[in-house]
Amino acid sequence: MIDHPLRQTLNDELHSRPGMAVTSPARITHLAFTVSDGDSDPLAHVRQLCATLGVRPPEHDAQHHGVAVGSGLFKYERHSEFYRISVTASGEGLTEEAMARLPLGWVDQLPGKRLVAIHTHILAKKSKLPTLQHIIRHFGHDEVACSRIHQGRSTVWSDFRIGKDGFTRMLVHDGGVSPDRLGRLTRRLHEIETYRMMALLAYPMARNLQGPLRTLELSLSEAIDAMLSAKEAEDDAALLQRLSMIARDVERISNQTSYRFAAAKAYAALVDKRLSELGEERVMNFQRLGIFLDRRFAPAMATCHAVAARILSLAERCERASNLLRTRVDIALEGQNQKLLHSMNERARQQLMLQQTVEGLSVAAISYYVIGIIEKFLGGLGHSLPWLTTWPTELVVIPVVIGLVWSGARMIRRRITKN
């Protein structure tokens, strides 16, 4: 048997980016950076970190890498547009954030632009649920979303705000679940925030396009209205050029935004999926995480979808208007061609009549000269043969010559016509 060349790669995709178990109490720092073509390879910085800490380095072109760092964990994941780094510190009496486990200044040297930064605190399973005063002290306010997870065994709080230190905060109470389930829970929470921010990258673009799209829509409407009053071919040509310019601008906007809007749609779908996987339950008077996010996240995504639909609709309207105008121009050209063909036919008929007239005159002229030659020939022959009478002979020769010349002219015309 011969394996498909992609069999191993496709199978390994199911096991890529494995989760990591988390034991409470713990603190997790999660970072996500967007990267562009001019940025350096973040994997090289991960290799440098592993060499500094004396741990196993990542493989060549690795998409993910996880190692133990002291009593905690370090994990790196590379995605198409961004990469993520998370540091987990476990144990009692933690007073520092998990990021303190990394060498000083290493995070500041990472390539790209920071988009997500989260400090997550996981309370021990034996601890009591935090009070409202504890929640306010932790977040600095009481506008917090909260949900019970794992059939009510775990509880999650977050305000989805960026603090003065540049980090968003999450608080998780371990209700007695396994380290694997706790690790999957924190991973989902971090993915929700990361994918939410990646999806919202399209929102400023969508808002900025409202004005240009409105201008293009008005220009297209004016061009369509002008089609009703245009009567001359010059007017149609000017309208067609105007529509081409509008279509060019629409295509330029579409090329600049199509990927971002498509990516936003995919990221938003991932956010919805991760939220549904949480299986949230209400806690007192707190809003659930999904409800809290849906209040502003869903309208932002609806705006992006609406702008993408407007661009597509505008492009289709431009195409229909251009096709309609081209059809009208083609019909006008067809009418001009019909008039031109009629004029050519009339001119050909006149030329044929003129040709027939010239042909008749040519037969008469040629016959006249031939008869004149025959008369001279017969006159000279009469001096030698006195008995030859010229005038009866001339009477016979005239119709014969005319008939022969006319027949020869017709024969030549038939050959030319046949060829």
Side-chain angles (χ1 to χ4, degrees), residues 195 199 263-276 297 301:
Y195 293 142
K265 183 177 180 180
Y267 288 130
L270 289 174
V271 172
D272 294 339
K273 181 174 177 57
R274 296 297 184 270
L275 285 171
S276 65
F297 178 67
M301 291 298 97

Side-chain angles (χ1 to χ4, degrees), residues 32-282:
F33 296 82
T34 60
V35 289
S36 57
D37 295 336
D39 296 324
S40 60
D41 186 7
L43 193 60
H45 294 263
V46 175
R47 291 194 184 96
Q48 177 188 359
L49 174 67
C50 293
T52 302
L53 299 177
V55 296
R56 176 177 56 87
E59 299 179 358
H60 178 68
D61 292 336
Q63 299 298 309
H64 61 89
H65 184 64
V67 291
V69 179
S71 60
L73 301 170
F74 171 84
K75 189 173 182 181
Y76 159 81
E77 290 186 10
R78 180 61 191 268
H79 298 259
S80 58
E81 292 188 283
F82 65 95
Y83 66 94
R84 303 191 298 179
I85 288 175
S86 62
V87 185
T88 304
S90 302
E92 298 286 349
L94 295 173
T95 59
E96 294 180 322
E97 299 296 347
M99 191 172 61
R101 301 293 177 94
L102 301 178
L104 184 64
W106 180 80
V107 173
D108 298 331
Q109 298 176 358
L110 289 173
K113 293 180 175 59
R114 184 177 66 174
L115 184 66
V116 178
I118 307 172
H119 284 322
T120 303
H121 291 187
I122 303 177
L123 305 178
K125 63 179 69 176
K126 60 184 179 181
S127 64
K128 295 182 180 179
L129 281 173
T131 63
L132 181 59
Q133 289 72 22
H134 183 196
I135 298 298
I136 296 175
R137 188 166 56 252
H138 183 79
F139 291 99
H141 53 85
D142 60 352
E143 295 181 3
V144 180
C146 178
S147 295
R148 283 197 178 95
I149 313 297
H150 298 148
Q151 292 81 40
R153 299 174 64 183
S154 300
T155 310
V156 178
W157 294 264
S158 180
D159 60 353
F160 297 99
R161 292 184 179 181
I162 300 176
K164 295 181 179 179
D165 59 351
F167 283 81
T168 302
R169 279 169 171 73
M170 292 183 177
L171 184 63
V172 179
H173 181 265
D174 179 10
V177 297
S178 66
D180 289 331
R181 294 189 68 182
L182 189 59
R184 289 194 293 270
L185 171 60
T186 56
R187 178 186 176 90
R188 288 192 184 102
L189 293 175
H190 295 161
E191 286 180 344
I192 287 171
E193 183 65 4
T194 302
Y195 293 142
R196 178 181 73 90
M197 294 294 287
M198 290 299 298
L200 286 173
L201 284 176
Y203 183 57
M205 181 184 297
R207 288 194 304 179
N208 294 334
L209 286 175
Q210 299 283 357
L213 287 178
R214 179 59 179 167
T215 301
L216 289 173
E217 288 172 344
L218 290 175
S219 298
L220 179 59
S221 298
E222 291 173 358
I224 294 175
D225 292 339
M227 290 172 58
L228 301 176
S229 58
K231 298 181 179 180
E232 301 296 333
E234 293 79 5
D235 298 336
D236 290 340
L239 280 175
L240 190 58
Q241 183 179 6
R242 185 176 176 183
L243 287 173
S244 299
M245 294 177 64
I246 296 174
R248 177 203 61 191
D249 294 339
V250 173
E251 189 64 24
R252 176 178 54 82
I253 292 176
S254 178
N255 290 336
Q256 293 174 350
T257 61
S258 59
Y259 175 78
R260 187 75 269 150
F261 287 144
K265 183 177 180 180
Y267 288 130
L270 289 174
V271 172
D272 294 339
K273 181 174 177 57
R274 296 297 184 270
L275 285 171
S276 65
E277 291 172 350
L278 291 178
E280 301 174 86
E281 297 178 9
R282 183 183 298 276

